[in-house]
Amino acid sequence: MFPALETELKQQTLPEAYEDFMYHHLQYYGYFKGPTCLSSTVHRQIEAVSRGISCPSRPENGNSYSLMLSSPLLKSRQLLHDDLGEVNSRLREPRDLFAFFSTSGPLQAPRWPIECEVIKENIHHIEWVPPQPEYFYQPTGNEKAPEIVGEEKGTVVYQLDSVPTEDSYFTSSRVGGKPGIIKELAVTLQGPEDDTLLFESRFESGNLQKATRVNTYEYELTLRTDLYTNKHTQWFYFRIQNTRKDVTYRFTIVNLLKPKSLYTIGMKPLMYSQLDASTHSIGWRREGNEIRYYRSNTDDGQQPFYCLTWTIQFPHDQDTCFFAHFYPYTYTDLQCFLLSVANSPVQSQFCKLRTLCRSLAGNIVYLLTITNPARTPQEAAAKKAVVLTARVHPGESNGSWIMKGFLDFILSNSPDAQLLRDIFIFKVVPMLNPDGVIVGNYRCSLAGRDLNRHYKTILKESFPCIWHTRNMIKRLLEEREVLLYCDFHGHSRKSNIFLYGCNNNDHKFWLHERVFPLMLSKNAPDKFSFHSCNFKVQKCKEGTGRVVMWRMGILNSYTMESTFGGSTLGNRRDTHFTPEDLTSLGYHVCDTLLDFCDPDRTKFMQCLAELKELLQQEIHKKFKELGQDMDLEGSWSDISLTDIESSTSGSDSSFSDGLPVHLLNTTDELNQKKKMYKKKKRKPLQSRKQRNKQYQKSNLMQESKLTEDAPEGAGFASTLQKQPAFFKNSENTSSSMMKNEKPRLNELNGRDKGTSLGPSKMTTLILTKNKERMQREKPGFTVSCSPKRNTNPSQERAPDTKPNWSRNRYPATKGGRTTAVVYPSLHIYTYP
C-alpha cells in the first residue's frame, strides 16, 4: 500500500536523530516498548506489518496483522481483538469527554490558589450521632465580655503569612497550593512544661488567620476573610494541639461582621477530640460555656466588629482537638461519596456521574443524572425533571448534609426511591463552589464575589460554575418540564428549616408555589417551619438562583435555608441539629415530592384550601394593624400577595455582586480613558461661515457683559467697598436683579425705622432674595434656608398639624349598607 515507505525502510540501516526522538516520545507515553535504536530485524517487522495492514480482511494477511497487534514493540489501545488472536477490525468506543474520575485510581487532589500554603496531613473525622439531644446554652446575663487586647500586649502564637486580600485577585492554582517548603507557623514549645496551644488551619476548609495569647489560658482569634475580599467572616474551622485537662480555656473571635447571630440565643460551637474519636468513637459535639456575642470596642473605622467568646475544658491532656462553626463537609468528602457510588454495580446503573465544568482553580464541578432507564422513547420523553444544587455558599455546609441525605435515599433500593426514579429525571449539582469550600471561604468564590448574585451573568470565564448550571437548566427546559428547582443553603440568624419561593402572578396557579413547602412542614413538623417561609421577590435578589430559574419558567423554584443552630418546634425545641437531622430532611424532600405529584389530588387540594384560609387570616391581621375592619368575601383572592408579605431582608444577603475582582482595575482604566477621550473630543467646525458666525457671537456676548457690568459697578461702588469678599464675588451673578430688590429694601427699612441694615445683614438679605428668585424661576428647585410659603392664608397649614387625610381608604360593609367592592390589589399605606 505504501511502496515508497517500504523502499525507504529497506534502504535504511541506521536510525536518524528525529526517528530516535520519536521512539523516545512514544515510549514515554506507553505506545512503544523496546530499545530506541531499532535493528534490521525490527525494520523487517515494521515492513511486514506495513504490508499486512494493507488489507486486514484478507486471510493471507491475517498473520501479519496479528503480528502488529501482538508485537512487543508497538502498542495500541484502540484496536480490539480477542484472546485467540483472531482479527476484529472494530475500534474501541471513544473516551467520554466528560467522564467521571477513574474508579480504580486515586481521587483528584484539590487544587489551591498559588498563594495558599497547605499542610500535607490528611484531616478525617468520624461520623457520630449524640445519644441525647444537645440543648442550647441558657444565658444567665453574667457572661463576661472581654475587651480586645491585641498583639501589642499579647503574644502572637499563630499567623498566616500571605493572605490574598481585596487588593489582589486569583491568577493560578496547583495541587498542594504554594510550592516550596511548608513553614511551621505555630510557636516552638520550650519543653514538656510549656502549655502554649498550637494552632493550625492550613488544611481543606480550614479558616483561622491569627491566634494571640493574651493570658495563660486565654486566646484571641482572628478569622481570615474570604480570599480576595475584605469581608465575610463567619465560618471557622481550626485545629488545636498541646491541650491540658481540667483547665478552663477562653477563646474569643474578634472580627465577626454580623450584628445578629444565633450565638445570642444559645448556639454552641462544635468541638472534636481525636482521642475520644479513637478510643470511644465520639465525633463532633456541642461544647462551650459562658457564651456571649457582643459588639467589639474596636473597629477599623468603616464597619463595626463583633466578638464571640466562650470557655471550655478539654477532655484529655496532650490531645488534638478541632473547633468549627458547623459540621464540616469538604470537597474530598464529596469525592469519596461519589467514588463509592461509581464503584457500586447497582447504583452506577441509574446514576451517571459527569463533569459539569471546572472551577476557576481547575477543580471539577460534578453533575449527577439520576433516573431509571426508560423502556421506550415515549416513556423517557414523558419524564419531568427535578434540579437540586448545594454549596454555592461554601461556608454553609448544612446544604451538603441535606444533599447527602437526599442522595442516600434516592440511590437506595426503597420502593419510593425506585418510583421517583421511574417518573423523574434528577439533575444534581452537589457542590457548586468547590474552590470556596477548599480554601475555607464563607460566601464567595475565588472571583471574590457571591455566586448566588450572578445567575444572570454572561461572564463564563469568571463564573463558570454558575454559567454552566444555568445553561444546563436552560437546555433541560427545552427538552422537558422542570417540576422543581431547589438550592440548599444555611442560615446564621434564624432557627429551623424553611424555604424562600416566588409568588406566582398567574391566577390559574394561584398559591400553588406554597403547596410544596406546606406539605414539607407536615412531613417534618419538628424541623421545618412554614411560617418562616417567604415568597416575596425583591429587586436585590434578582440575581439569585431561585429568582432566575423562576423567571426561566420553573414555577416551584426555591431556596432551602437550614439553620446553623437548631429547632424551636415540637419535641426538638431548643435543641441543636445534628447531621442526622439534616440528612433526614433529605429523605423528607423525597417523601414530599411523592405527595406533591400524587395522581390522587386530595392532599394537594387540602393544602390549597388550608393556604387560602391562612392567607385570609394574614390579610385580616394586616388590616387590624391598620385599625380597619374588612369583609373580603368574594374579592380577597385578587389581593396581591407581595403587598402583605414582609421582605426577606432577614436572610443572609450580601452585596458582593459586582464585577469579579480581576476585572475591576480593567474597568476603571477603561472608564478613565473614556472620560479623557470625551474631554478632548470637540465637535469640528465644518465651514468658514460657521467659524465666522461663532466668532461674532462670542464678541457680542463679551460686549453685552461689559455694558451690563459698568453701571452696576458705579452705582454700588461705595457700598461694595464695605462688604465682605464673598459679597463682591456674588455681584456679577445677581447684578440684574438688584435694581428690582431696591423697593423691597426700602419697605423693610420703612417697617423698622429705628434699625438700619449693616453690611452683614444686607448681605444675608440680598442672598436670601436671590435664592427666592431662583426658586420662582425653577419650581423643582428648593432652597433650604428659605422655606416656600403659601400666599393664601386660608390654605396655610399649621406647622404641627397633620394633613386631614381619610384613613378609611378601604370601604367596609357595616350594618345594613351593602356595597360591591373589587380589590385588584392590596396596598398598605403609611401616614407621615
Side-chain angles (χ1 to χ4, degrees):
M1 184 176 179
F2 304 103
L5 177 61
E6 295 174 13
T7 305
E8 183 180 355
L9 286 173
K10 290 178 181 178
Q11 296 176 352
Q12 185 176 5
T13 57
L14 294 176
E16 297 180 354
Y18 175 75
E19 187 181 24
D20 187 62
F21 164 76
M22 286 304 299
Y23 288 134
H24 274 293
H25 184 72
L26 293 172
Q27 186 181 37
Y28 176 78
Y29 284 101
Y31 293 102
F32 176 79
K33 292 183 178 180
T36 56
C37 295
L38 298 182
S39 62
S40 58
T41 306
V42 176
H43 286 293
R44 286 194 299 271
Q45 189 180 33
I46 296 176
E47 181 180 345
V49 169
S50 64
R51 287 196 302 270
I53 202 172
S54 59
C55 187
S57 61
R58 295 180 182 177
E60 62 271 16
N61 294 331
N63 293 334
S64 59
Y65 187 68
S66 299
L67 176 64
M68 180 189 74
L69 297 175
S70 60
S71 171
L73 300 177
L74 296 177
K75 181 181 178 183
S76 174
R77 299 179 181 176
Q78 297 301 315
L79 297 172
L80 296 177
H81 60 96
D82 55 27
D83 297 335
L84 300 177
E86 296 181 1
V87 178
N88 187 344
S89 58
R90 290 185 302 106
L91 292 175
R92 287 183 183 272
E93 290 293 329
R95 291 183 179 180
D96 194 341
L97 295 179
F98 300 96
F100 189 63
F101 46 71
S102 173
T103 57
S104 59
L107 298 176
Q108 178 192 355
R111 298 183 64 88
W112 294 69
I114 202 71
E115 303 95 336
C116 297
E117 288 187 344
V118 185
I119 61 175
K120 304 302 181 183
E121 301 177 48
N122 292 323
I123 307 298
H124 174 71
H125 305 297
I126 65 171
E127 292 187 24
W128 175 72
V129 178
Q132 299 295 331
E134 297 178 307
Y135 286 90
F136 290 165
Y137 172 75
Q138 299 299 322
T140 62
N142 299 322
E143 287 79 13
K144 181 181 178 183
E147 293 189 3
I148 306 306
V149 175
E151 57 184 88
E152 291 80 8
K153 298 181 180 179
T155 303
V156 177
V157 295
Y158 176 82
Q159 185 170 10
L160 296 180
D161 290 337
S162 57
V163 178
T165 60
E166 60 176 342
D167 299 327
S168 58
Y169 55 87
F170 172 76
T171 55
S172 60
S173 66
R174 67 185 295 270
V175 174
K178 190 174 183 179
I181 300 175
I182 303 299
K183 299 179 182 178
E184 187 65 39
L185 298 184
V187 295
T188 303
L189 298 179
Q190 302 301 318
E193 300 300 325
D194 192 343
D195 55 2
T196 305
L197 293 180
L198 304 178
F199 292 82
E200 184 58 81
S201 66
R202 293 172 297 173
F203 48 82
E204 196 173 349
S205 295
N207 189 315
L208 179 67
Q209 180 175 343
K210 184 171 65 174
T212 305
R213 189 180 190 182
V214 296
N215 208 333
T216 305
Y217 301 111
E218 189 170 347
Y219 293 84
E220 291 179 356
L221 310 177
T222 303
L223 302 184
R224 194 211 69 221
T225 59
D226 283 6
L227 294 187
Y228 313 110
T229 73
N230 64 342
K231 48 191 172 183
H232 306 304
T233 52
Q234 181 74 29
W235 170 260
F236 59 87
Y237 177 31
F238 55 89
R239 185 182 72 186
I240 292 177
Q241 293 176 311
N242 196 36
T243 61
R244 296 294 186 269
K245 184 181 178 181
D246 299 330
V247 173
T248 301
Y249 289 86
R250 177 177 290 276
F251 299 100
T252 305
I253 299 175
V254 299
N255 66 329
L256 297 170
L257 297 176
K258 292 187 177 183
K260 296 181 180 179
S261 173
L262 288 168
Y263 289 109
T264 58
I265 61 173
M267 187 177 86
K268 296 181 179 181
L270 280 162
M271 191 199 75
Y272 183 94
S273 167
Q274 281 194 352
L275 285 178
D276 279 346
S278 59
T279 57
H280 306 293
S281 298
I282 298 176
W284 288 99
R285 59 184 186 265
R286 300 282 182 173
E287 293 288 352
N289 288 299
E290 299 182 40
I291 301 171
R292 183 167 180 178
Y293 191 90
Y294 60 98
R295 181 167 177 168
S296 172
N297 57 347
T298 60
D299 55 59
D300 62 353
Q302 297 180 353
Q303 54 186 353
F305 286 131
Y306 294 84
C307 299
L308 168 66
T309 186
W310 74 94
T311 61
I312 195 170
Q313 290 188 355
F314 292 109
H316 305 285
D317 286 328
Q318 303 296 330
D319 194 4
T320 297
C321 295
F322 294 83
F323 283 103
H325 180 58
F326 200 73
Y327 299 93
Y329 193 95
T330 65
Y331 183 63
T332 300
D333 292 335
L334 173 66
Q335 286 190 310
C336 291
F337 175 81
L338 296 181
L339 184 61
S340 66
V341 174
N343 286 329
S344 170
V346 177
Q347 294 178 342
S348 59
Q349 295 299 315
F350 49 78
C351 179
K352 303 302 180 183
L353 311 173
R354 295 291 182 265
T355 298
L356 176 67
C357 64
R358 287 188 179 267
S359 63
L360 282 180
N363 294 297
I364 295 177
V365 180
Y366 296 105
L367 172 65
L368 285 71
T369 302
I370 305 171
T371 188
N372 284 338
R375 292 172 239 179
T376 62
Q378 292 77 12
E379 183 182 343
K383 288 187 176 184
K384 296 181 181 181
V386 174
V387 180
L388 301 175
T389 61
R391 292 304 282 276
V392 67
H393 292 153
E396 298 171 0
S397 58
N398 337 40
S400 286
W401 290 106
I402 297 177
M403 179 65 76
K404 184 178 183 299
F406 166 80
L407 291 175
D408 283 338
F409 180 78
I410 202 65
L411 297 176
S412 68
N413 294 326
S414 167
D416 287 345
Q418 294 179 14
L419 179 59
L420 284 171
R421 296 196 300 265
D422 285 336
I423 61 179
F424 289 114
I425 295 177
F426 293 92
K427 294 286 186 178
V428 180
V429 185
M431 192 169 286
L432 277 167
N433 190 356
D435 293 347
V437 173
I438 290 169
V439 301
N441 278 4
Y442 173 61
R443 200 161 187 92
C444 297
S445 69
L446 293 185
R449 293 293 177 261
D450 183 351
L451 293 182
N452 200 34
R453 297 297 181 271
H454 289 274
Y455 272 90
K456 296 193 295 185
T457 186
I458 60 173
L459 301 176
K460 178 180 177 181
E461 290 77 14
S462 299
F463 307 108
C465 313
I466 295 306
W467 189 94
H468 283 278
T469 300
R470 185 193 64 194
N471 200 42
M472 178 268 294
I473 297 175
K474 184 178 179 181
R475 294 197 308 268
L476 190 62
L477 283 167
E478 295 172 355
E479 300 174 1
R480 64 190 73 248
E481 177 188 349
V482 178
L483 179 70
L484 181 139
Y485 164 87
C486 190
D487 189 20
F488 298 150
H489 284 251
H491 208 287
S492 66
R493 286 175 286 182
K494 296 174 72 173
S495 297
N496 307 312
I497 303 171
F498 49 94
L499 286 174
Y500 290 140
C502 303
N503 281 323
N504 184 33
N505 299 323
D506 190 350
H507 190 75
K508 180 181 178 182
F509 302 104
W510 191 61
L511 297 180
H512 283 203
E513 72 281 351
R514 306 185 181 213
V515 174
F516 184 85
L518 183 60
M519 286 182 171
L520 187 56
S521 69
K522 295 180 181 297
N523 289 331
D526 56 347
K527 302 180 185 69
F528 190 91
S529 170
F530 178 76
H531 293 286
S532 298
C533 296
N534 198 292
F535 301 88
K536 189 171 184 177
V537 178
Q538 295 174 269
K539 187 176 180 180
C540 63
K541 303 297 179 66
E542 285 290 335
T544 61
R546 102 181 130 92
V547 177
V548 171
M549 303 311 161
W550 173 66
R551 297 202 182 280
M552 287 171 58
I554 304 177
L555 173 65
N556 302 294
S557 181
Y558 305 108
T559 297
M560 180 176 286
E561 297 281 357
S562 169
T563 181
F564 286 106
S567 175
T568 61
L569 306 171
N571 297 330
R572 295 300 310 275
R573 185 178 182 85
D574 295 334
T575 61
H576 290 89
F577 279 155
T578 64
E580 185 184 41
D581 293 319
L582 300 183
T583 54
S584 69
L585 193 79
Y587 156 74
H588 290 305
V589 169
C590 297
D591 192 26
T592 305
L593 198 55
L594 283 174
D595 293 337
F596 187 71
C597 301
D598 194 341
D600 182 3
R601 307 298 286 170
T602 304
K603 290 182 180 179
F604 189 94
M605 299 310 296
Q606 286 178 352
C607 288
L608 203 58
E610 185 176 346
L611 284 169
K612 292 178 181 179
E613 184 179 351
L614 289 173
L615 181 62
Q616 197 169 9
Q617 294 175 2
E618 187 67 21
I619 294 172
H620 280 293
K621 181 180 177 182
K622 289 290 182 182
F623 278 109
K624 187 176 181 180
E625 292 175 357
L626 294 175
Q628 302 182 27
D629 294 328
M630 291 300 299
D631 183 8
L632 300 174
E633 188 66 31
S635 61
W636 65 275
S637 61
D638 295 327
I639 293 176
S640 174
L641 299 177
T642 304
D643 294 332
I644 65 172
E645 277 194 305
S646 61
S647 67
T648 59
S649 58
S651 65
D652 285 352
S653 59
S654 71
F655 299 97
S656 300
D657 54 357
L659 286 171
V661 179
H662 70 279
L663 293 181
L664 290 179
N665 296 333
T666 306
T667 307
D668 294 339
E669 293 175 1
L670 290 175
N671 290 335
Q672 291 178 1
K673 290 181 180 179
K674 203 172 182 181
K675 291 179 181 179
M676 294 174 62
Y677 178 74
K678 284 183 177 180
K679 289 180 180 179
K680 294 180 180 179
K681 185 177 180 181
R682 293 182 180 180
K683 190 174 181 180
L685 301 177
Q686 298 178 357
S687 64
R688 180 177 294 180
K689 182 178 179 181
Q690 190 176 4
R691 292 196 297 269
N692 292 338
K693 187 176 180 180
Q694 184 176 1
Y695 178 74
Q696 293 174 0
K697 185 178 180 180
S698 61
N699 285 340
L700 288 174
M701 291 178 63
Q702 290 180 1
E703 291 176 2
S704 62
K705 187 176 181 181
L706 291 174
T707 55
E708 290 178 0
D709 291 349
E712 300 288 334
F716 285 85
S718 59
T719 305
L720 292 176
Q721 290 176 359
K722 300 179 182 180
Q723 304 308 316
F726 70 88
F727 182 65
K728 294 181 181 180
N729 295 336
S730 64
E731 174 187 7
N732 293 335
T733 60
S734 58
S735 59
S736 60
M737 70 72 108
M738 283 186 178
K739 296 179 181 180
N740 298 330
E741 296 296 335
K742 285 182 180 180
R744 301 295 300 272
L745 292 175
N746 294 335
E747 291 177 9
L748 290 172
N749 290 332
R751 292 176 185 175
D752 300 320
K753 293 183 179 180
T755 60
S756 60
L757 293 175
S760 60
K761 293 183 179 180
M762 183 178 293
T763 301
T764 306
L765 180 61
I766 293 176
L767 289 176
T768 303
K769 297 301 178 181
N770 289 348
K771 293 179 180 178
E772 290 179 355
R773 181 187 65 81
M774 294 171 63
Q775 184 176 356
R776 288 194 299 271
E777 292 178 355
K778 299 179 180 180
F781 182 78
T782 58
V783 183
S784 59
C785 64
S786 179
K788 188 175 181 179
R789 295 183 179 181
N790 192 354
T791 56
N792 189 354
S794 63
Q795 297 179 0
E796 187 170 0
R797 180 172 55 89
D800 295 333
T801 60
K802 295 184 178 179
N804 188 18
W805 293 343
S806 175
R807 297 180 64 87
N808 296 323
R809 295 181 179 269
Y810 304 99
T813 303
K814 296 182 179 180
R817 299 175 58 187
T818 59
T819 56
V821 186
V822 178
Y823 300 92
S825 63
L826 172 65
H827 301 283
I828 299 176
Y829 291 85
T830 57
Y831 300 95

